[in-house]
Amino acid sequence: MEREPTRVMVAVNESTIKGKPHPSISSKRAFEWTLEKMVRSNTSDFKILLLHVHVVDEDGFDEVDSIYASPDDFKDMRESNKSKGLHLLEFFVNKCHEIGVSCEAWIKKGDPKDVICQEVSRVRPDLLVLGSRGLGRFQKVFVGTVSGFCVKHAECPSSRSNAMPMKLPVILLMTKPTTL
């Protein structure tokens, strides 16, 4: 009897840098961490579940600098936002197919921390992997983090990957004997 693959949900988002949509550093690192540390060469033992949550601005307008003159302009804006998420998921799905690991990908709208936890409850992955932007303690207190919320509230084991691999500085302590 064949064993079901381990299902790992990776929450991904796009970079806030203007231009062509591409993955954020933290979500790309979380995805890479999943492949390097878990999947490795056991591609048939895993299934990657890719979730992108599209955040809708409170006023519903993502493009502040745009001018809207007709109903078609709003339709174009909605299509543009949808295609941004599709380009993002296409990047990760292509990476999965390159190495031969099965995957599923989908887009939801809403507040990322709430939507990720709802999707974990609905889909029931074996593990949730999230990226972390690397905010300092002060920022975390006032801003909070999606990954921090999800690690506490998701109904499955969770892992948070740092945006950059942790590099510890090498400190050389040189002491000189002193005479008292």
Side-chain angles (χ1 to χ4, degrees):
M1 183 154 104
E2 196 170 312
R3 187 173 75 113
E4 287 290 317
T6 300
R7 297 165 8 109
V8 181
M9 180 182 283
V10 181
V12 298
N13 64 323
E14 55 195 15
S15 175
T16 56
I17 300 170
K18 294 285 185 185
K20 186 177 179 182
H22 55 281
S24 70
I25 293 168
S26 59
S27 66
K28 189 174 180 182
R29 180 67 191 133
F31 177 76
E32 290 168 351
W33 181 90
T34 302
L35 297 180
E36 292 168 11
K37 304 294 184 192
M38 296 189 65
V39 175
R40 299 179 193 170
S41 61
N42 303 319
T43 56
S44 62
D45 292 341
F46 289 90
K47 182 171 191 171
I48 307 296
L49 308 172
L50 300 158
L51 170 62
H52 169 58
V53 181
H54 178 75
V55 180
V56 181
D57 287 348
E58 286 182 19
D59 60 5
F61 300 101
D62 287 338
E63 302 294 329
V64 177
D65 299 337
S66 299
I67 297 173
Y68 306 100
S70 74
D72 289 337
D73 294 337
F74 292 98
K75 182 180 177 187
D76 293 343
M77 179 185 70
R78 281 191 296 277
E79 290 300 316
S80 169
N81 285 335
K82 186 177 180 183
S83 86
K84 285 180 188 175
L86 291 176
H87 287 295
L88 176 71
L89 291 178
E90 181 180 31
F91 172 84
F92 289 109
V93 167
N94 286 340
K95 293 286 185 190
C96 286
H97 282 268
E98 284 174 16
I99 64 165
V101 67
S102 67
C103 66
E104 290 179 16
W106 67 100
I107 300 171
K108 291 287 188 173
K109 287 185 181 182
D111 182 345
K113 64 182 187 313
D114 296 330
V115 172
I116 291 168
C117 288
Q118 289 167 2
E119 287 300 288
V120 164
S121 295
R122 184 181 72 80
V123 176
R124 296 279 192 228
D126 299 302
L127 177 69
L128 171 64
V129 178
L130 301 144
S132 176
R133 294 181 292 170
L135 295 178
R137 287 183 187 177
F138 184 74
Q139 291 171 309
K140 287 179 186 176
V141 168
F142 290 100
V143 178
T145 66
V146 171
S147 60
F149 182 89
C150 293
V151 165
K152 289 179 185 172
H153 299 285
E155 296 176 358
C156 75
S158 304
S159 178
R160 189 173 13 192
S161 171
N162 291 332
M164 294 293 183
M166 196 150 187
K167 293 181 181 174
L168 299 175
V170 177
I171 300 172
L172 295 175
L173 295 176
M174 300 183 80
T175 59
K176 186 184 219 181
T178 57
T179 55
L180 296 174

